[in-house]
Amino acid sequence: MKSTSTQYGTIAVTLHWLSAAVIVALLASGFLSGAATGEVGRKTILAAHVPMGLGVLVLTVLRILWWLVADRKPLPGSTANMWQHRLAQIVHALTYVLILLLCISGIGMMALTGAAGVLFDVTAGPLPDFTEVAPRALHGLGARVLMALLALHVVAALYHHFVRRDQPISRMWYAQK
């Protein structure tokens, strides 16, 4: 269940890949809702986007607590340079901060506009114009920066796995017995 010096544990692996899948779905649904022209389409997309966002908030808090309280990350691959290791730490920290800021700004938009009531049929009316509230700018910019960080993360993982051959993808998958 816990990580070893060379392999991520089952809980860390599950939280990582579950978070990754939901974040990809969130990014896709967020950009789709922004591009949607019809009210019904936007409402349908956002009605899925909001609970997924809350789910990522829970998963992210669980991941942080898991690392702080119960587990330690494996040592970097034996071929990793110190600057690459430091850059990876910075990218991971920024990714966590961005995810939390996106969750907070999303909650802020829901609270400031009353959109949650409209999305989940508690109150009648059209969706509000999210561009009129301050958290919207942070949410949009944060999503774009997160996409760039995730692309950097994936490229680095592929580079390390296939070029450097220090197996980060194997280390971040379920251990074979």
Side-chain angles (χ1 to χ4, degrees):
M1 299 239 319
K2 288 188 175 187
S3 302
T4 67
S5 63
T6 60
Q7 179 74 38
Y8 287 91
T10 304
I11 292 175
V13 170
T14 301
L15 289 172
H16 175 270
W17 290 109
L18 186 57
S19 296
V22 178
I23 288 169
V24 168
L26 274 167
L27 289 168
S29 63
F31 286 110
L32 280 173
S33 73
T37 54
E39 177 83 7
V40 173
R42 283 185 67 221
K43 245 178 122 171
T44 301
I45 294 167
L46 288 174
H49 183 82
V50 170
M52 283 191 296
L54 293 173
V56 161
L57 176 59
V58 169
L59 287 169
T60 302
V61 169
L62 286 173
R63 286 182 79 182
I64 292 168
L65 289 174
W66 179 248
W67 290 125
L68 291 175
V69 175
D71 201 7
R72 293 288 177 257
K73 292 183 179 185
L75 299 172
S78 59
T79 60
N81 293 330
M82 194 52 158
W83 70 268
Q84 289 174 333
H85 177 64
R86 187 69 183 134
L87 182 60
Q89 288 178 320
I90 291 168
V91 168
H92 283 109
L94 284 174
T95 301
Y96 283 119
V97 168
L98 266 174
I99 291 167
L100 294 172
L101 285 174
L102 284 165
C103 292
I104 291 166
S105 63
I107 291 168
M109 285 191 297
M110 292 295 110
L112 291 172
T113 64
V118 175
L119 284 175
F120 302 108
D121 294 324
V122 176
T123 58
L127 281 172
D129 183 2
F130 294 111
T131 61
E132 294 180 5
V133 294
R136 175 60 187 98
L138 174 64
H139 207 70
L141 177 62
R144 286 167 176 77
V145 173
L146 181 61
M147 283 179 37
L149 286 175
L150 294 177
L152 180 62
H153 179 71
V154 169
V155 167
L158 293 172
Y159 168 77
H160 276 274
H161 195 80
F162 293 109
V163 176
R164 301 286 305 259
R165 297 192 185 277
D166 47 7
Q167 304 301 311
I169 296 172
S170 298
R171 290 163 29 103
M172 184 45 89
W173 194 249
Y174 300 98
Q176 302 295 318
K177 293 189 180 201

